Amino acid sequence: GFETFKNCPTQDNLLKEAVPWFNPNKATPDFYHRCMGNVPQMVLPPRSGDGMARLFWDLNWGEYLEIPLTEPLDSSACYFFEMYAALESPQKYTAQTLGATFFKDPWTVQTTGLIGVDPQILDYQLNNATKPLQWEPIVGYVKPKGGERYLLIGSFNKLPPFLGFHYLFIDDVSLRKIKVDLGRDTTLCGRSSALLLNAETPGATSYRWQDGSTSPTFLVTKPGKYWVSATTQCKMVTDTIK
């Protein structure tokens, strides 16, 4: 999200206040926070919390957001990426434009135009029929090479070929390792003891427990070994608990 800041932003073009986010090129992304009070640029509330970012795309002008990750990506793992975007003018949006990608080193360029790299995440959810000023999820899977430490969000495939004055808002960005963790082996005491196992996994399309049930949760009421497998588009993950 965009909750922390060095100083409350007082105008446009102040992404630098939204630490640890930073601007990788010479364009001017915006950071807005409710600490500003009522400002006309905040045409919708943040999806959560008090802050959000705004990007502007135009001819030879692409704004981006970059941030260091909390830890390097693991080449043996698969990750589920999610962020939320809201279009101010969907009729001006070029489909399959908004994306995200990851780098080992911070990416910086001395231009205001398109950053010419291939995105690892590209939106297939937004289009001209998207409702204006409504938060929509952008999701996808990331299989890293390993060691990536920075996330870059913006336009990678296309920019508007005209003076479109096209704005979009970004909030609630997350990257979660795909895994199942039922916890450590444990002992339950008392005749009425029970334990609810939760196998919810980011991006999972199905679950299967040792008895064939398919809910993301399982209520344990008697001793035994319990296991679950969760299937995603990226990989299958399993865990067992006694």
Side-chain angles (χ1 to χ4, degrees), residues 168-211:
L168 60 87
F169 296 87
I170 302 291
D171 200 3
D172 291 343
V173 183
S174 65
L175 184 72
R176 291 172 284 174
K177 184 181 292 186
I178 294 176
K179 63 179 181 179
V180 171
D181 185 5
L182 298 179
R184 297 180 178 181
D185 294 347
T186 188
T187 300
L188 306 180
C189 300
R191 293 181 179 179
S192 61
S193 293
L195 177 66
L196 183 66
L197 301 177
N198 189 343
E200 290 186 354
T201 304
T205 56
S206 65
Y207 299 90
R208 181 167 293 276
W209 294 88
Q210 73 289 328
D211 66 347

mmCIF file of all heavy atoms in Angstrom, residues 168-211:
data_model
loop_
_atom_site.group_PDB
_atom_site.id
_atom_site.type_symbol
_atom_site.label_atom_id
_atom_site.label_comp_id
_atom_site.label_asym_id
_atom_site.label_seq_id
_atom_site.Cartn_x
_atom_site.Cartn_y
_atom_site.Cartn_z
ATOM 1 N N LEU A 168 -4.678 6.551 -14.130
ATOM 2 C CA LEU A 168 -5.160 5.386 -13.408
ATOM 3 C C LEU A 168 -4.543 5.371 -12.016
ATOM 4 O O LEU A 168 -3.458 5.902 -11.791
ATOM 5 C CB LEU A 168 -4.881 4.082 -14.155
ATOM 6 C CG LEU A 168 -3.444 3.688 -14.479
ATOM 7 C CD1 LEU A 168 -2.815 2.924 -13.323
ATOM 8 C CD2 LEU A 168 -3.423 2.830 -15.731
ATOM 9 N N PHE A 169 -5.268 4.763 -11.063
ATOM 10 C CA PHE A 169 -4.851 4.721 -9.668
ATOM 11 C C PHE A 169 -4.403 3.312 -9.296
ATOM 12 O O PHE A 169 -4.928 2.321 -9.833
ATOM 13 C CB PHE A 169 -6.007 5.159 -8.763
ATOM 14 C CG PHE A 169 -6.421 6.586 -8.962
ATOM 15 C CD1 PHE A 169 -7.354 6.930 -9.931
ATOM 16 C CD2 PHE A 169 -5.873 7.603 -8.182
ATOM 17 C CE1 PHE A 169 -7.742 8.242 -10.125
ATOM 18 C CE2 PHE A 169 -6.256 8.925 -8.368
ATOM 19 C CZ PHE A 169 -7.185 9.250 -9.340
ATOM 20 N N ILE A 170 -3.452 3.211 -8.379
ATOM 21 C CA ILE A 170 -2.901 1.933 -7.936
ATOM 22 C C ILE A 170 -2.950 1.874 -6.410
ATOM 23 O O ILE A 170 -2.631 2.847 -5.726
ATOM 24 C CB ILE A 170 -1.438 1.753 -8.397
ATOM 25 C CG1 ILE A 170 -1.325 1.843 -9.927
ATOM 26 C CG2 ILE A 170 -0.868 0.432 -7.883
ATOM 27 C CD1 ILE A 170 -1.938 0.686 -10.668
ATOM 28 N N ASP A 171 -3.312 0.686 -5.875
ATOM 29 C CA ASP A 171 -3.294 0.488 -4.426
ATOM 30 C C ASP A 171 -3.175 -1.006 -4.132
ATOM 31 O O ASP A 171 -3.401 -1.860 -5.007
ATOM 32 C CB ASP A 171 -4.580 1.049 -3.800
ATOM 33 C CG ASP A 171 -4.438 1.319 -2.304
ATOM 34 O OD1 ASP A 171 -3.336 1.130 -1.764
ATOM 35 O OD2 ASP A 171 -5.439 1.715 -1.676
ATOM 36 N N ASP A 172 -2.795 -1.335 -2.909
ATOM 37 C CA ASP A 172 -2.784 -2.697 -2.369
ATOM 38 C C ASP A 172 -2.013 -3.668 -3.256
ATOM 39 O O ASP A 172 -2.587 -4.590 -3.855
ATOM 40 C CB ASP A 172 -4.218 -3.192 -2.156
ATOM 41 C CG ASP A 172 -4.915 -2.443 -1.035
ATOM 42 O OD1 ASP A 172 -4.217 -1.793 -0.238
ATOM 43 O OD2 ASP A 172 -6.150 -2.506 -0.956
ATOM 44 N N VAL A 173 -0.725 -3.479 -3.330
ATOM 45 C CA VAL A 173 0.163 -4.335 -4.115
ATOM 46 C C VAL A 173 0.725 -5.420 -3.209
ATOM 47 O O VAL A 173 1.209 -5.131 -2.104
ATOM 48 C CB VAL A 173 1.320 -3.508 -4.715
ATOM 49 C CG1 VAL A 173 2.205 -4.384 -5.589
ATOM 50 C CG2 VAL A 173 0.776 -2.323 -5.512
ATOM 51 N N SER A 174 0.679 -6.676 -3.641
ATOM 52 C CA SER A 174 1.216 -7.759 -2.815
ATOM 53 C C SER A 174 1.863 -8.824 -3.690
ATOM 54 O O SER A 174 1.481 -9.033 -4.850
ATOM 55 C CB SER A 174 0.123 -8.389 -1.949
ATOM 56 O OG SER A 174 -0.852 -9.026 -2.751
ATOM 57 N N LEU A 175 2.846 -9.496 -3.116
ATOM 58 C CA LEU A 175 3.518 -10.628 -3.747
ATOM 59 C C LEU A 175 3.688 -11.687 -2.672
ATOM 60 O O LEU A 175 4.395 -11.470 -1.681
ATOM 61 C CB LEU A 175 4.880 -10.221 -4.312
ATOM 62 C CG LEU A 175 5.606 -11.328 -5.081
ATOM 63 C CD1 LEU A 175 4.924 -11.588 -6.418
ATOM 64 C CD2 LEU A 175 7.067 -10.980 -5.292
ATOM 65 N N ARG A 176 3.041 -12.854 -2.852
ATOM 66 C CA ARG A 176 3.038 -13.887 -1.821
ATOM 67 C C ARG A 176 3.557 -15.199 -2.385
ATOM 68 O O ARG A 176 3.153 -15.625 -3.470
ATOM 69 C CB ARG A 176 1.615 -14.077 -1.282
ATOM 70 C CG ARG A 176 1.102 -12.886 -0.479
ATOM 71 C CD ARG A 176 -0.363 -13.034 -0.144
ATOM 72 N NE ARG A 176 -1.195 -12.759 -1.308
ATOM 73 C CZ ARG A 176 -2.511 -12.923 -1.336
ATOM 74 N NH1 ARG A 176 -3.136 -13.384 -0.270
ATOM 75 N NH2 ARG A 176 -3.204 -12.626 -2.420
ATOM 76 N N LYS A 177 4.454 -15.824 -1.635
ATOM 77 C CA LYS A 177 4.977 -17.131 -2.038
ATOM 78 C C LYS A 177 3.859 -18.168 -1.953
ATOM 79 O O LYS A 177 3.112 -18.225 -0.969
ATOM 80 C CB LYS A 177 6.144 -17.529 -1.139
ATOM 81 C CG LYS A 177 6.821 -18.827 -1.551
ATOM 82 C CD LYS A 177 7.960 -19.194 -0.612
ATOM 83 C CE LYS A 177 9.107 -18.220 -0.724
ATOM 84 N NZ LYS A 177 10.279 -18.661 0.093
ATOM 85 N N ILE A 178 3.738 -18.990 -2.984
ATOM 86 C CA ILE A 178 2.693 -20.006 -3.009
ATOM 87 C C ILE A 178 3.148 -21.199 -2.181
ATOM 88 O O ILE A 178 4.110 -21.889 -2.524
ATOM 89 C CB ILE A 178 2.375 -20.424 -4.454
ATOM 90 C CG1 ILE A 178 1.762 -19.248 -5.210
ATOM 91 C CG2 ILE A 178 1.430 -21.618 -4.475
ATOM 92 C CD1 ILE A 178 1.489 -19.526 -6.663
ATOM 93 N N LYS A 179 2.471 -21.427 -1.067
ATOM 94 C CA LYS A 179 2.793 -22.546 -0.187
ATOM 95 C C LYS A 179 1.584 -22.869 0.674
ATOM 96 O O LYS A 179 0.662 -22.058 0.822
ATOM 97 C CB LYS A 179 3.987 -22.215 0.703
ATOM 98 C CG LYS A 179 3.754 -21.057 1.653
ATOM 99 C CD LYS A 179 4.986 -20.805 2.510
ATOM 100 C CE LYS A 179 4.730 -19.656 3.494
ATOM 101 N NZ LYS A 179 5.904 -19.411 4.368
ATOM 102 N N VAL A 180 1.593 -24.078 1.240
ATOM 103 C CA VAL A 180 0.582 -24.487 2.207
ATOM 104 C C VAL A 180 1.303 -24.764 3.521
ATOM 105 O O VAL A 180 2.332 -25.435 3.537
ATOM 106 C CB VAL A 180 -0.162 -25.751 1.744
ATOM 107 C CG1 VAL A 180 -1.052 -26.276 2.862
ATOM 108 C CG2 VAL A 180 -0.994 -25.464 0.515
ATOM 109 N N ASP A 181 0.771 -24.250 4.606
ATOM 110 C CA ASP A 181 1.367 -24.471 5.922
ATOM 111 C C ASP A 181 0.259 -24.774 6.922
ATOM 112 O O ASP A 181 -0.466 -23.886 7.357
ATOM 113 C CB ASP A 181 2.171 -23.242 6.355
ATOM 114 C CG ASP A 181 2.904 -23.465 7.668
ATOM 115 O OD1 ASP A 181 2.854 -24.605 8.189
ATOM 116 O OD2 ASP A 181 3.516 -22.514 8.163
ATOM 117 N N LEU A 182 0.132 -26.055 7.271
ATOM 118 C CA LEU A 182 -0.888 -26.470 8.227
ATOM 119 C C LEU A 182 -0.418 -26.332 9.670
ATOM 120 O O LEU A 182 -1.173 -26.624 10.596
ATOM 121 C CB LEU A 182 -1.294 -27.928 7.957
ATOM 122 C CG LEU A 182 -1.921 -28.200 6.588
ATOM 123 C CD1 LEU A 182 -2.243 -29.687 6.450
ATOM 124 C CD2 LEU A 182 -3.169 -27.356 6.368
ATOM 125 N N GLY A 183 0.820 -25.908 9.856
ATOM 126 C CA GLY A 183 1.351 -25.767 11.201
ATOM 127 C C GLY A 183 2.110 -26.999 11.648
ATOM 128 O O GLY A 183 2.212 -28.001 10.924
ATOM 129 N N ARG A 184 2.650 -26.950 12.844
ATOM 130 C CA ARG A 184 3.414 -28.066 13.390
ATOM 131 C C ARG A 184 2.482 -29.172 13.891
ATOM 132 O O ARG A 184 1.319 -28.929 14.207
ATOM 133 C CB ARG A 184 4.297 -27.587 14.549
ATOM 134 C CG ARG A 184 5.355 -26.573 14.142
ATOM 135 C CD ARG A 184 6.178 -26.175 15.356
ATOM 136 N NE ARG A 184 7.249 -25.240 14.995
ATOM 137 C CZ ARG A 184 8.128 -24.748 15.851
ATOM 138 N NH1 ARG A 184 8.050 -25.095 17.145
ATOM 139 N NH2 ARG A 184 9.062 -23.912 15.448
ATOM 140 N N ASP A 185 3.032 -30.399 13.981
ATOM 141 C CA ASP A 185 2.293 -31.478 14.632
ATOM 142 C C ASP A 185 1.899 -31.017 16.030
ATOM 143 O O ASP A 185 2.653 -30.308 16.712
ATOM 144 C CB ASP A 185 3.165 -32.733 14.731
ATOM 145 C CG ASP A 185 3.494 -33.312 13.357
ATOM 146 O OD1 ASP A 185 2.854 -32.892 12.378
ATOM 147 O OD2 ASP A 185 4.383 -34.167 13.281
ATOM 148 N N THR A 186 0.710 -31.430 16.481
ATOM 149 C CA THR A 186 0.194 -30.881 17.740
ATOM 150 C C THR A 186 -0.636 -31.915 18.482
ATOM 151 O O THR A 186 -1.012 -32.957 17.937
ATOM 152 C CB THR A 186 -0.652 -29.625 17.462
ATOM 153 O OG1 THR A 186 -0.984 -28.998 18.693
ATOM 154 C CG2 THR A 186 -1.912 -29.974 16.707
ATOM 155 N N THR A 187 -0.898 -31.641 19.740
ATOM 156 C CA THR A 187 -1.736 -32.488 20.581
ATOM 157 C C THR A 187 -2.931 -31.685 21.061
ATOM 158 O O THR A 187 -2.782 -30.549 21.514
ATOM 159 C CB THR A 187 -0.952 -33.002 21.805
ATOM 160 O OG1 THR A 187 0.157 -33.762 21.357
ATOM 161 C CG2 THR A 187 -1.845 -33.866 22.684
ATOM 162 N N LEU A 188 -4.122 -32.284 20.959
ATOM 163 C CA LEU A 188 -5.345 -31.660 21.436
ATOM 164 C C LEU A 188 -5.789 -32.360 22.708
ATOM 165 O O LEU A 188 -5.733 -33.583 22.792
ATOM 166 C CB LEU A 188 -6.454 -31.752 20.382
ATOM 167 C CG LEU A 188 -6.109 -31.219 18.988
ATOM 168 C CD1 LEU A 188 -7.312 -31.387 18.061
ATOM 169 C CD2 LEU A 188 -5.705 -29.761 19.063
ATOM 170 N N CYS A 189 -6.208 -31.616 23.698
ATOM 171 C CA CYS A 189 -6.614 -32.177 24.982
ATOM 172 C C CYS A 189 -8.083 -31.882 25.251
ATOM 173 O O CYS A 189 -8.579 -30.803 24.934
ATOM 174 C CB CYS A 189 -5.766 -31.598 26.112
ATOM 175 S SG CYS A 189 -4.000 -31.939 25.942
ATOM 176 N N GLY A 190 -8.775 -32.840 25.842
ATOM 177 C CA GLY A 190 -10.177 -32.639 26.186
ATOM 178 C C GLY A 190 -11.095 -33.344 25.211
ATOM 179 O O GLY A 190 -10.801 -33.471 24.025
ATOM 180 N N ARG A 191 -12.215 -33.805 25.721
ATOM 181 C CA ARG A 191 -13.137 -34.579 24.882
ATOM 182 C C ARG A 191 -13.696 -33.772 23.718
ATOM 183 O O ARG A 191 -14.011 -34.304 22.673
ATOM 184 C CB ARG A 191 -14.282 -35.091 25.734
ATOM 185 C CG ARG A 191 -13.847 -36.118 26.773
ATOM 186 C CD ARG A 191 -15.044 -36.607 27.565
ATOM 187 N NE ARG A 191 -14.651 -37.618 28.541
ATOM 188 C CZ ARG A 191 -15.494 -38.202 29.382
ATOM 189 N NH1 ARG A 191 -16.780 -37.862 29.362
ATOM 190 N NH2 ARG A 191 -15.060 -39.109 30.235
ATOM 191 N N SER A 192 -13.833 -32.455 23.895
ATOM 192 C CA SER A 192 -14.450 -31.636 22.845
ATOM 193 C C SER A 192 -13.418 -30.880 22.008
ATOM 194 O O SER A 192 -13.782 -29.987 21.263
ATOM 195 C CB SER A 192 -15.430 -30.636 23.477
ATOM 196 O OG SER A 192 -14.736 -29.771 24.374
ATOM 197 N N SER A 193 -12.134 -31.240 22.148
ATOM 198 C CA SER A 193 -11.104 -30.519 21.409
ATOM 199 C C SER A 193 -11.257 -30.732 19.905
ATOM 200 O O SER A 193 -11.581 -31.829 19.435
ATOM 201 C CB SER A 193 -9.714 -30.976 21.846
ATOM 202 O OG SER A 193 -9.450 -30.591 23.172
ATOM 203 N N ALA A 194 -10.999 -29.667 19.157
ATOM 204 C CA ALA A 194 -11.026 -29.723 17.692
ATOM 205 C C ALA A 194 -10.048 -28.682 17.166
ATOM 206 O O ALA A 194 -9.667 -27.739 17.871
ATOM 207 C CB ALA A 194 -12.431 -29.451 17.168
ATOM 208 N N LEU A 195 -9.615 -28.874 15.938
ATOM 209 C CA LEU A 195 -8.665 -27.946 15.312
ATOM 210 C C LEU A 195 -9.081 -27.722 13.871
ATOM 211 O O LEU A 195 -9.253 -28.677 13.108
ATOM 212 C CB LEU A 195 -7.242 -28.519 15.365
ATOM 213 C CG LEU A 195 -6.150 -27.686 14.688
ATOM 214 C CD1 LEU A 195 -5.961 -26.364 15.426
ATOM 215 C CD2 LEU A 195 -4.837 -28.459 14.645
ATOM 216 N N LEU A 196 -9.247 -26.467 13.507
ATOM 217 C CA LEU A 196 -9.604 -26.137 12.134
ATOM 218 C C LEU A 196 -8.330 -25.900 11.338
ATOM 219 O O LEU A 196 -7.590 -24.942 11.600
ATOM 220 C CB LEU A 196 -10.503 -24.895 12.082
ATOM 221 C CG LEU A 196 -10.992 -24.500 10.686
ATOM 222 C CD1 LEU A 196 -11.922 -25.572 10.115
ATOM 223 C CD2 LEU A 196 -11.700 -23.151 10.724
ATOM 224 N N LEU A 197 -8.041 -26.765 10.381
ATOM 225 C CA LEU A 197 -6.884 -26.612 9.501
ATOM 226 C C LEU A 197 -7.264 -25.712 8.333
ATOM 227 O O LEU A 197 -8.315 -25.893 7.712
ATOM 228 C CB LEU A 197 -6.423 -27.979 8.988
ATOM 229 C CG LEU A 197 -6.028 -29.007 10.054
ATOM 230 C CD1 LEU A 197 -5.659 -30.333 9.396
ATOM 231 C CD2 LEU A 197 -4.900 -28.483 10.920
ATOM 232 N N ASN A 198 -6.393 -24.764 8.026
ATOM 233 C CA ASN A 198 -6.670 -23.798 6.959
ATOM 234 C C ASN A 198 -5.566 -23.909 5.909
ATOM 235 O O ASN A 198 -4.406 -23.625 6.180
ATOM 236 C CB ASN A 198 -6.724 -22.387 7.519
ATOM 237 C CG ASN A 198 -7.213 -21.377 6.499
ATOM 238 O OD1 ASN A 198 -7.221 -21.644 5.302
ATOM 239 N ND2 ASN A 198 -7.631 -20.211 6.955
ATOM 240 N N ALA A 199 -5.931 -24.329 4.714
ATOM 241 C CA ALA A 199 -4.969 -24.516 3.626
ATOM 242 C C ALA A 199 -5.085 -23.441 2.558
ATOM 243 O O ALA A 199 -4.555 -23.609 1.448
ATOM 244 C CB ALA A 199 -5.175 -25.891 2.980
ATOM 245 N N GLU A 200 -5.752 -22.333 2.855
ATOM 246 C CA GLU A 200 -5.956 -21.297 1.843
ATOM 247 C C GLU A 200 -4.618 -20.848 1.263
ATOM 248 O O GLU A 200 -3.693 -20.503 1.990
ATOM 249 C CB GLU A 200 -6.702 -20.113 2.432
ATOM 250 C CG GLU A 200 -8.168 -20.425 2.742
ATOM 251 C CD GLU A 200 -8.940 -19.204 3.181
ATOM 252 O OE1 GLU A 200 -8.320 -18.141 3.359
ATOM 253 O OE2 GLU A 200 -10.171 -19.313 3.351
ATOM 254 N N THR A 201 -4.548 -20.859 -0.060
ATOM 255 C CA THR A 201 -3.316 -20.596 -0.796
ATOM 256 C C THR A 201 -3.586 -19.550 -1.867
ATOM 257 O O THR A 201 -4.594 -19.646 -2.583
ATOM 258 C CB THR A 201 -2.810 -21.891 -1.472
ATOM 259 O OG1 THR A 201 -2.654 -22.905 -0.475
ATOM 260 C CG2 THR A 201 -1.490 -21.670 -2.178
ATOM 261 N N PRO A 202 -2.728 -18.530 -1.980
ATOM 262 C CA PRO A 202 -2.954 -17.506 -3.005
ATOM 263 C C PRO A 202 -3.082 -18.100 -4.401
ATOM 264 O O PRO A 202 -2.224 -18.871 -4.843
ATOM 265 C CB PRO A 202 -1.711 -16.620 -2.902
ATOM 266 C CG PRO A 202 -1.189 -16.847 -1.526
ATOM 267 C CD PRO A 202 -1.520 -18.272 -1.200
ATOM 268 N N GLY A 203 -4.152 -17.775 -5.090
ATOM 269 C CA GLY A 203 -4.337 -18.218 -6.468
ATOM 270 C C GLY A 203 -4.743 -19.666 -6.639
ATOM 271 O O GLY A 203 -4.788 -20.169 -7.770
ATOM 272 N N ALA A 204 -5.055 -20.384 -5.544
ATOM 273 C CA ALA A 204 -5.413 -21.803 -5.664
ATOM 274 C C ALA A 204 -6.736 -21.970 -6.412
ATOM 275 O O ALA A 204 -7.690 -21.221 -6.206
ATOM 276 C CB ALA A 204 -5.494 -22.441 -4.298
ATOM 277 N N THR A 205 -6.781 -22.967 -7.289
ATOM 278 C CA THR A 205 -8.000 -23.271 -8.042
ATOM 279 C C THR A 205 -8.746 -24.469 -7.471
ATOM 280 O O THR A 205 -9.931 -24.654 -7.760
ATOM 281 C CB THR A 205 -7.666 -23.549 -9.513
ATOM 282 O OG1 THR A 205 -6.700 -24.607 -9.583
ATOM 283 C CG2 THR A 205 -7.082 -22.310 -10.171
ATOM 284 N N SER A 206 -8.066 -25.314 -6.675
ATOM 285 C CA SER A 206 -8.733 -26.465 -6.058
ATOM 286 C C SER A 206 -7.915 -26.961 -4.876
ATOM 287 O O SER A 206 -6.707 -26.712 -4.782
ATOM 288 C CB SER A 206 -8.927 -27.597 -7.081
ATOM 289 O OG SER A 206 -7.678 -28.109 -7.498
ATOM 290 N N TYR A 207 -8.615 -27.675 -3.976
ATOM 291 C CA TYR A 207 -7.996 -28.294 -2.810
ATOM 292 C C TYR A 207 -8.456 -29.749 -2.731
ATOM 293 O O TYR A 207 -9.560 -30.092 -3.151
ATOM 294 C CB TYR A 207 -8.412 -27.572 -1.524
ATOM 295 C CG TYR A 207 -8.012 -26.112 -1.471
ATOM 296 C CD1 TYR A 207 -8.860 -25.114 -1.964
ATOM 297 C CD2 TYR A 207 -6.799 -25.720 -0.923
ATOM 298 C CE1 TYR A 207 -8.507 -23.775 -1.915
ATOM 299 C CE2 TYR A 207 -6.432 -24.382 -0.863
ATOM 300 C CZ TYR A 207 -7.290 -23.421 -1.354
ATOM 301 O OH TYR A 207 -6.929 -22.094 -1.310
ATOM 302 N N ARG A 208 -7.599 -30.606 -2.151
ATOM 303 C CA ARG A 208 -8.006 -31.992 -1.891
ATOM 304 C C ARG A 208 -7.326 -32.473 -0.612
ATOM 305 O O ARG A 208 -6.103 -32.467 -0.511
ATOM 306 C CB ARG A 208 -7.657 -32.917 -3.058
ATOM 307 C CG ARG A 208 -8.095 -34.369 -2.847
ATOM 308 C CD ARG A 208 -8.032 -35.171 -4.137
ATOM 309 N NE ARG A 208 -9.012 -34.710 -5.095
ATOM 310 C CZ ARG A 208 -10.287 -35.096 -5.119
ATOM 311 N NH1 ARG A 208 -10.741 -35.953 -4.213
ATOM 312 N NH2 ARG A 208 -11.119 -34.637 -6.019
ATOM 313 N N TRP A 209 -8.179 -32.913 0.349
ATOM 314 C CA TRP A 209 -7.690 -33.449 1.613
ATOM 315 C C TRP A 209 -7.588 -34.964 1.548
ATOM 316 O O TRP A 209 -8.021 -35.592 0.569
ATOM 317 C CB TRP A 209 -8.637 -33.029 2.747
ATOM 318 C CG TRP A 209 -8.632 -31.550 2.988
ATOM 319 C CD1 TRP A 209 -9.408 -30.618 2.365
ATOM 320 C CD2 TRP A 209 -7.799 -30.833 3.898
ATOM 321 N NE1 TRP A 209 -9.121 -29.349 2.830
ATOM 322 C CE2 TRP A 209 -8.133 -29.453 3.780
ATOM 323 C CE3 TRP A 209 -6.815 -31.202 4.820
ATOM 324 C CZ2 TRP A 209 -7.522 -28.458 4.529
ATOM 325 C CZ3 TRP A 209 -6.201 -30.217 5.579
ATOM 326 C CH2 TRP A 209 -6.550 -28.863 5.436
ATOM 327 N N GLN A 210 -7.039 -35.556 2.597
ATOM 328 C CA GLN A 210 -6.782 -36.996 2.639
ATOM 329 C C GLN A 210 -8.062 -37.818 2.493
ATOM 330 O O GLN A 210 -8.027 -38.955 2.022
ATOM 331 C CB GLN A 210 -6.063 -37.377 3.947
ATOM 332 C CG GLN A 210 -6.910 -37.339 5.207
ATOM 333 C CD GLN A 210 -7.272 -35.931 5.624
ATOM 334 O OE1 GLN A 210 -6.505 -35.003 5.406
ATOM 335 N NE2 GLN A 210 -8.455 -35.760 6.222
ATOM 336 N N ASP A 211 -9.205 -37.243 2.837
ATOM 337 C CA ASP A 211 -10.469 -37.970 2.705
ATOM 338 C C ASP A 211 -11.212 -37.638 1.418
ATOM 339 O O ASP A 211 -12.340 -38.073 1.210
ATOM 340 C CB ASP A 211 -11.370 -37.679 3.909
ATOM 341 C CG ASP A 211 -11.820 -36.215 3.964
ATOM 342 O OD1 ASP A 211 -11.238 -35.386 3.227
ATOM 343 O OD2 ASP A 211 -12.755 -35.901 4.727
#
